[in-house]
Structures are given as C-alpha cells and as structure tokens.
Amino acid sequence: MYLHGLLNEAERLLQTLAVEAALILAWAATEAILREAVRRRGVESTRATFAIRELIQTALVASILEWEEFKTLDEGWKLRNAVVHGFRPDALPPSIVRSLINTARRLLPSTPELVAEGQSYLKSVTYGYGLRQTSELLVTVQQTMPLLEEILGLSAAHISAEWDRAEGETGQSVVTLRLSDNWGAVTGTIRPAEFAKRATLRSRLNWLWGDLLEVRNHNQLKSLQPVASQEGP
C-alpha cells in the first residue's frame, strides 16, 4: 500500500537522521490519511477541500484526533512548511516526526484479520461482577462488542467500556454501559430484551456515543480557545 510505503520510508530516513526528509514524507502520508479519515466520518468542508488548519481542527472536533495528536500535527505542519519553503527551523526534534508517523499509523483503516479472536479494538473493556454472575447475559453483551466498535470507529482505541448489571427503576435487571476517555465519561442502560432488537440496540449505543462526543467536543473546544487567542485575528 502506497501510504504504508511512505511511512516506512519516513521511518528509514528518521533512523539515518535525515529528519527534514523524513518530516516531508511523514507529513504527506499523515495529511492523506487524515483527509480520508475525515471523509469516512462524513464531515464536509464549506469549501472545495479542507485547508490544512481546518482539516486538523475538524479532525479534533470530530474525535478523530486526540488533543496531544492535534498539537503534534499543528507543530508538524508548521515545521513542514518551513522546510519545504527553504527555511531552517530553530529546532526539528525527531520526536515530532516519530509522533506524526505513529498518528498516521493509528488512523490507517483497521485490518480486522490482524486482531486476534476475542481481542477488542477499544482501549479497555471490563465486565462487572453483577454481569459476570449471569453467564447468558454476559455472552450476549460480549457479542455486542463488534457493533460497539463499528459505531465508535477510529475513536475506539481511545475509549474504555465498562459493562455491568444493575437494578432498573422498575426493579428489573438492566445492563449498564459506561464509556469514557481522557475528556469525560457517560453511562447508559440497556434492557436485556433490547439486545435481541438490532435497530434498538444500535440506537441505544449511538445515543450513548453521541453523549460522549458532546462531552468531548465541549472540552476540546474549550482547550482550543487559548490556541486561537494566541494566533490572533
């Protein structure tokens, strides 16, 4: 795959301390991969194509990038511009190029066959004591994980899921799902019977993911404000 090749070549150049050349290749691959990730998320620009700054900020708000990755890409973009226009940056740490490569590799489309059976794309998945006491329900919940991973998409690697069983308002058992990341957490409930209704189950998971996105976007936008104020009008 072409983009894999670019990243491999960037790594090779980085190992030989050709940092400027490695940066240019790493940025080319990262930008292409990021544009595709934004396209797959269904986000469109108001213009014919995304400007780089708009692309990076859009990817952050859409939860494609984590905050640290956003800062790395923002810095990498500035360094890349300096290099390709013939300016020598005051500093060009190899760690920036390494972080670009790592971010690009994370954003490359997942290859399911590379994931061992029973392994999850999520950062972590736990099943609480209450749920583990009901083996049939536990199996049902575990079989729901591929659907949850599909809904979370590229963000799955940053999300922790905590499943458990609790007593609902009517006294009947419900399954609880807590989704969390570095920006916050949300919790929802699913009735056992709803696991057999695919459309209802998808809707429940989508709503919960939407709640977490709302928390993330709120906090990420707050974090962006100091960046915008430093740049000025």
Side-chain angles (χ1 to χ4, degrees), residues 228-233:
S229 62
Q230 290 172 13
E231 292 182 348

Side-chain angles (χ1 to χ4, degrees), residues 3-18:
L3 295 176
H4 280 288
L6 285 182
L7 293 173
N8 289 339
E9 181 63 14
E11 284 189 311
R12 187 189 68 78
L13 289 169
L14 192 59
Q15 291 170 359
T16 64
L17 301 182

